[in-house]
Amino acid sequence: AQSVTQPDIHITVSEGASLELRCNYSYGATPYLFWYVQSPGQGLQLLLKYFSGDTLVQGIKGFEAEFKRSQSSFNLRKPSVHWSDAAEYFCAASTGGFKTIFGAGTRLFVKA
Amino acid sequence: GAVVSQHPSWVICKSGTSVKIECRSLDFQATTMFWYRQFPKQSLMLMATSNEGSKATYEQGVEKDKFLINHASLTLSTLTVTSAHPEDSSFYICSARPSQTSGNTIYFGEGSWLTVV
């Protein structure tokens, strides 16, 4: 069955430190991959997406993600975290049918 | 960028009543829209795929007679929660895929909070 796994339920990072959020997918073929951020009580904001081509994808707010086919991973990174980055982050995947499957989410806490 | 609007943003209804949530694509046409439900501190679960002019496709375990979906136009899909109960209280989010695109980008609405009392 198709699935998206985010192993970390929550992560705490000091402000200014680097961040990496993990995401693994299980699909028959390489799906389209996305990272979304959700602030409490809010909708989703797309950070970045991977369809094909360059495996290092740049997104908004200084985020980037790297697609690694051999590891079925699409990890999100940011070199220096800001307090405003505290939120819930969802990795998601979809195929040609456009149905999007979401991971369980990773809650990011930023400490001063 | 493309905008998807949901209305209402939040609604409180009495148990046993029905409530309708609208999802509109404001600046593009969407043949296909999707409805998700998100319980507190949980991920988004796809409920159904809404197709303009045809019946919605429901995910396994989702009661189609309870969650009525209508996609009457290329810019509007509605989700009606019938005979709502407290356990239906949740955050409902829709997304829409532009018809005039070959890509796989979909756009999400801001979500609608439903509280059934």
Side-chain angles (χ1 to χ4, degrees), chain B residues 17-23 35 47 58 62-70 77-84 88 92 114:
Chain B
T17 63
S18 296
V19 61
K20 179 186 290 186
I21 300 171
E22 295 184 345
C23 177
W35 285 97
M47 299 175 66
Y58 290 82
V62 178
E63 300 175 61
K64 62 180 180 180
D65 294 330
K66 179 170 183 63
F67 298 99
L68 301 180
I69 292 174
N70 185 287
S77 175
T78 60
L79 169 68
T80 301
V81 183
T82 62
S83 187
D88 298 324
Y92 292 87
L114 169 62

Side-chain angles (χ1 to χ4, degrees), chain A residues 41, chain B residues 6-13 19-21 90-92 110-115:
Chain B
Q6 284 186 236
H7 178 80
S9 299
W10 58 271
V11 57
I12 300 174
C13 71
V19 61
K20 179 186 290 186
I21 300 171
S90 185
F91 191 51
Y92 292 87
E110 288 298 309
S112 299
W113 282 104
L114 169 62
T115 300

Side-chain angles (χ1 to χ4, degrees), chain B:
Chain B
V3 177
V4 175
S5 174
Q6 284 186 236
H7 178 80
S9 299
W10 58 271
V11 57
I12 300 174
C13 71
K14 291 184 177 181
S15 185
T17 63
S18 296
V19 61
K20 179 186 290 186
I21 300 171
E22 295 184 345
C23 177
R24 292 182 184 272
S25 54
L26 298 185
D27 49 3
F28 63 94
Q29 293 182 333
T31 307
T32 304
M33 292 184 175
F34 303 89
W35 285 97
Y36 295 82
R37 179 169 53 186
Q38 184 182 30
F39 292 108
K41 299 184 179 181
Q42 295 187 26
S43 187
L44 287 79
M45 299 302 295
L46 179 65
M47 299 175 66
T49 302
S50 172
N51 302 297
E52 188 269 335
S54 64
K55 292 183 178 180
T57 303
Y58 290 82
E59 296 300 301
Q60 189 172 10
V62 178
E63 300 175 61
K64 62 180 180 180
D65 294 330
K66 179 170 183 63
F67 298 99
L68 301 180
I69 292 174
N70 185 287
H71 195 152
S73 77
L74 287 172
T75 60
L76 174 65
S77 175
T78 60
L79 169 68
T80 301
V81 183
T82 62
S83 187
H85 291 283
E87 57 265 31
D88 298 324
S89 298
S90 185
F91 191 51
Y92 292 87
I93 304 178
C94 73
S95 67
R97 175 183 176 265
S99 301
Q100 288 76 33
T101 179
S102 59
N104 198 29
T105 299
I106 56 175
Y107 300 92
F108 282 85
E110 288 298 309
S112 299
W113 282 104
L114 169 62
T115 300
V116 184
V117 298

